[in-house]
Amino acid sequence: MLLRVDFNVPIKDGRIQDDTRIREALPTVEDLMGRGARVILMTHLGRPDGQVDEAARTTPLAARLGELLERPVKHVDDCVGPAAEAAVNAMRDGDILMLENVRFHPGETRNDPVFAKQLASLGDLYVNDAFGTAHRAHASTAGIAQFLPAVAGLLMEREIATLGRIMTDPPHPLVAIIGGSKISTKIGVLKSLMQRVDRLCIGGAMACTFLKAKGLEMGRSLVEEDQLDVARSLLSSSGQGGGTLVLPLDAVVAPEARPGVPVETVGVDAVPPDMKVLDVGAMTVERFLQTCDGAAAVVWNGPLGVYEVAPFDRGTDALAQGLAGSDAETIIGGGDLVAALQKQHLAERMSFVSTGGGATLEFLEGRTLPGIAALNDRNDA
Ligand code: ADP
Ligand code: 3PG
Ligand code: MG
């Protein structure tokens, strides 16, 4: 059977920097192996643009999976054609084979039915566990389902169940925290969550756009001038039947996000003209934690500051520490936020960490994800 996973993990100089996505797929791989299936794994890695890219081979992924499973995982240098067919024909029950990067073929991202059919011809059943790629209508995530019985893997099921409950049957009180750099990439999710949550805390650079929309001066901070109207409209809908917006009270400012620069914490109404807001201050963290007090669940996407550069990671870390000790169900998503929390070993103290970046955002926006829609066992099928 063919198992689509999302092993698109960060790799530097041939070394995997974070294997979370591989570990999260283990239950599915182990379950299928335990049933005696011949497990043929497909994944993309990076964006090689339809060509072979030596740095984007799936060989290190197969090796890491083999270490985690404590058994050999074979690798073949193509994902379709004679080499792949020969490798599949040589498999025995319970064997695992990892195909080469599906994006080495242009038919993958074009969702070419001929390429999808070639992939499908390698197996008799398709299991999709690649939640992180479910927002892409590609051959190995969507097209292939036309040629084989298609079902969700255990990770896919867990993501859909956890995030799906926020969308269709949200526990209350529900609090969302949204940070990150730009409103423009998160308008959909802000609007969708405003309808579902009781309170919505805004941090990160996008808080600067909201504060500016309220008439405050943000110095040289990252403000999206073209999103001021969006911010104003969200501010005016605050508390009008949907959620209430909660904005920062104080900010950590500095001339640049560089290590060793002089930093200062100021009220949001006192940002100096030559400074940038680079993190939320301690009062804001306290306010956000009070907002989460007594919540049934907290959904958090996006870091509260420039977490890549110390000390602008403090707000994000302090909020995560506070949430780790709370009784609320904590649901975390977003590539950068998850990376920030992993640095401090705080991710494992959250109730649920989504493996999706863009996929999680699109799911929380209420969009239909092609990789889910293509499955035969989806709820509305
Ligand atoms: P996620 O991947 O968790 O969804 P985003 O991609 O939306 O998050 O945003 C992450 C980026 O936001 C990080 O690179 C971080 O440095 C940046 N960021 C957060 N706060 C600020 C700020 N005050 N000024 C500039 N950049 C910020
Ligand atoms: C991700 O890392 O968000 C997924 O693996 C999808 O990758 P993509 O943005 O290159 O399609
Ligand atoms: Mg990001």
Side-chain angles (χ1 to χ4, degrees), residues 113-133:
V114 176
F115 178 67
K117 200 170 176 183
Q118 275 183 295
L119 285 172
S121 72
L122 298 173
D124 50 8
L125 169 70
Y126 169 69
V127 179
N128 189 356
D129 220 15
F131 176 77
T133 328

Side-chain angles (χ1 to χ4, degrees), residues 33-91:
M33 267 165 36
R35 294 170 191 237
R38 302 176 185 197
V39 184
I40 307 162
L41 285 157
M42 306 182 279
T43 186
H44 74 286
L45 176 62
R47 294 180 175 171
D49 209 16
Q51 290 172 10
V52 174
D53 172 357
E54 289 304 325
R57 289 205 179 270
T58 58
T59 329
L61 308 177
R64 182 70 190 126
L65 179 63
E67 281 167 19
L68 292 167
L69 290 170
E70 296 181 357
R71 49 171 301 158
V73 172
K74 294 201 185 92
H75 178 268
V76 56
D77 280 345
D78 205 346
C79 62
V80 289
E85 283 159 22
V88 168
N89 289 337
M91 288 175 85

